[in-house]
Amino acid sequence: MRTNDVPVLQGGYAPVYEENVFDDLKVIGEIPSDLNGMYVRNGPNPRFVEEGRYHWFDGDGMLHSVLFEGGKVQYRNRWVMTDSLKEELGAGRSLWRGIKEPPRRDRPDMPIKNTSNTDVKFHNGKLVTMWYLGGDLYESDPYSLETTGKKPIDSRIAPLPVSAHSRVDERTNEFLFFAYGKEAPYMHYGVIGADGSLKHLIPVALPGPRLPHDMAITEHYTILHDFPLFHDQDALAAGRHKLKFHSELPSRFAVAPRYGSVDQIRWFEAKPTYMYHVSNAWEEVNARGETEIVMTGTPFRLSRDRDGNIEADKVTRQATNLEHDFIFYEWRFNLATGQTYERVIDDIVNTEFPIVNSWMQGYKTRYSWNVLMGRNRVPEQPRFCGLTRFDLQTGTVQAYNGGVDFWYSEAPFAPRDNWKHEDDGYLVGFVWNGTEQRSEVHVFDASNVGQGPVCRILLPKRVPHGFHATWVSKPRLLAELG
């Protein structure tokens, strides 16, 4: 396997090949006794590196978990055993090239390898892993991390490429998703119930094939995205994937009742931009008695020329080269007037991968905990260099960075046992300590991120840099699994 000439196959990015279980881990500080549950993170970890140009997003999915129980911890990692990985293991080599190379024309069923490496959620007693380009969903046992198979899907969903960023409503235990592809109507939206059955599915017509990344939910509504960063149509017709920012087009947001019909979808327009991740959304009644849907997230900071015009080519390169420069932003969609109001929450601190207290997803929140993004030292090698805590009520932000050689992960909110208020808990995440050349798990007091971790758990094996994570509290585990 080649690694020396590819930045995202070196250092903290380099893959690991063993599946391990570790107990009796060394702890600096003290693990809070009221922190009980499971932290799980997904990310790319190539078993075989294909020929051609490699991209960080190409690696096979691997789950890494840390189980907290009564002040003790256990670490475990395991491959997401997708159909494509099984094929390659049988062949003993890579059978697909990455997203920088042309797709396989002999495999219309899977021209690009579904690695299921992007996100992980807990639903109906299983961990569900997903892929950012959309495809089959895979389920794993939450304790062993063993892949148990594909998520059972209703025949109406089966042909649809389900996106990575589905949402689980912890209050209803529903799995809300969107699927998108290259054939009309180009998007679908659906709801899977707590028992795994399909409760709702509708088409959402788009003008053409798009590249939405995330979605948002409120108590009664779902918000779907149509941003003007999508395929170069000439390249797409030739079978190649090439991005283009269409600065002449607005951003569009579809607001639909959770179980709404096609004719109940309402479209709202806003300034052109692109966004990977939503922080939260909720319903709010304004001073005039009108209901507004409020959505917060971390869109790109768009490059502009001296006259204030968007430099579309630079925006495209920003996305292609993983040059991360983001702002924290708010949109308000007025259901009475059809108007959109938007504002900058913060354009000073560069952050991404926002998370909230997941029990309050879809309801008004005061806090958002985001990953602090650093400037790339090497092209296509992003740096997650700390954690932040935004207070939307006071308009302030608190940040923590352990030093230039530390690399962080998305750190989900972990409520303390019998939590009482929104930030009554912890943040838990993997950290690469470049100074000591080791991986650690850091636990932060969510109400005071700036003071640094309350404890650090040292791991005997490296955890490669990854993407999204989830926290499953002990009560949720017991309710679903007993």
Side-chain angles (χ1 to χ4, degrees), residues 71-91:
K72 296 183 178 180
V73 292
Q74 180 188 75
Y75 164 84
R76 184 186 302 267
N77 72 307
R78 201 149 191 175
W79 300 96
V80 179
M81 197 56 62
T82 60
D83 288 350
S84 50
L85 179 55
K86 290 178 182 178
E87 279 191 54
E88 292 187 332
L89 288 170

Side-chain angles (χ1 to χ4, degrees), residues 283-292 294 332 334 336-337 364:
E283 300 155 32
E284 193 170 296
V285 178
N286 65 22
R288 295 183 297 276
E290 300 161 340
T291 298
E292 295 179 328
V294 184
R332 287 178 175 264
N334 189 308
T337 66
K364 186 173 183 178

Side-chain angles (χ1 to χ4, degrees), residues 274-291:
Y274 190 75
M275 179 174 68
Y276 291 131
H277 302 121
V278 168
S279 176
N280 196 19
W282 60 86
E283 300 155 32
E284 193 170 296
V285 178
N286 65 22
R288 295 183 297 276
E290 300 161 340
T291 298

Side-chain angles (χ1 to χ4, degrees), residues 330-347:
E330 178 187 277
W331 296 263
R332 287 178 175 264
F333 310 116
N334 189 308
L335 298 183
T337 66
Q339 294 180 323
T340 302
Y341 171 76
E342 46 192 313
R343 73 179 180 97
V344 173
I345 298 174
D346 183 273
D347 61 358

